[in-house]
Amino acid sequence: MARRSSTGYTLIELLLVLTLLSGAGFVLLVKLPVQQNERNLALASTQLTQELRDTRQAALSERTWYEVEFFYTQGFYRIIREGKRVKDVYLPKGVIIVNAPTDIRFYAPGYPSMGGTISLKAGKLTRNVIMMPVTARVREEIVK
């Protein structure tokens, strides 16, 4: 009898590989949007924290007043120097402002008009940017 040498994969092996690849693809499809929301929220809260610090420092160094206005429905905040718009900062996709004062003014000595908590939300995730009223110390807080 002659032996036949065959190379290749069986149908079962091919189906097993396709099943494993489709399972991995499904996990990625479910996981990626959640991670994207987390990244966008982290980016927005870090950027807001830095903008508040920079605005305070600018008011202090330039010996003038600055203001940060929050626009809930439009999804951005505006930085104003002596009544003139400096820039608008738009939040990343999926991130909204859920709690903030209408505006925060930084006076020439560097102290703010008020302190408080600014809450940003993306899906079920929330991050707070907290500013102390007297010292203007700004920090981030992850809400669990």
Side-chain angles (χ1 to χ4, degrees):
M1 274 183 134
R3 279 194 141 167
R4 208 157 128 207
S5 172
S6 68
T7 58
Y9 299 102
T10 64
L11 183 60
I12 297 295
E13 290 171 331
L14 290 173
L15 287 175
L16 181 63
V17 168
L18 288 175
T19 303
L20 290 173
L21 288 174
S22 65
F26 178 75
V27 168
L28 284 175
L29 285 175
V30 169
K31 193 83 169 152
L32 283 178
V34 172
Q35 290 177 343
Q36 186 67 32
N37 278 346
E38 285 180 28
R39 276 193 297 265
N40 285 347
L41 184 60
L43 172 70
S45 67
T46 302
Q47 185 178 17
L48 175 59
T49 301
Q50 194 58 47
E51 291 287 354
L52 289 172
R53 289 176 181 158
D54 290 347
T55 303
R56 177 184 180 269
Q57 189 60 39
L60 189 60
S61 65
E62 297 172 17
R63 305 289 300 157
T64 186
W65 62 270
Y66 275 79
E67 192 170 61
V68 180
E69 291 181 343
F70 296 94
F71 297 90
Y72 290 85
T73 55
Q74 291 92 352
F76 75 97
Y77 53 94
R78 178 174 288 156
I79 298 174
I80 298 169
R81 179 184 185 267
E82 293 182 333
K84 295 181 182 174
R85 181 175 68 188
V86 174
K87 68 177 173 177
D88 292 341
V89 181
Y90 288 88
L91 299 173
K93 183 180 177 185
V95 179
I96 59 171
I97 302 169
V98 288
N99 179 36
T102 54
D103 63 341
I104 299 172
R105 183 175 282 196
F106 292 95
Y107 298 104
Y111 62 86
S113 59
M114 67 176 64
T117 301
I118 303 155
S119 297
L120 303 175
K121 189 170 186 167
K124 295 180 182 179
L125 308 168
T126 304
R127 279 188 176 223
N128 293 330
V129 176
I130 302 167
M131 188 172 67
M132 300 301 163
V134 176
T135 61
R137 179 176 174 253
V138 181
R139 65 183 173 88
E140 290 181 65
E141 176 184 78
I142 300 171
V143 178
K144 294 187 179 194

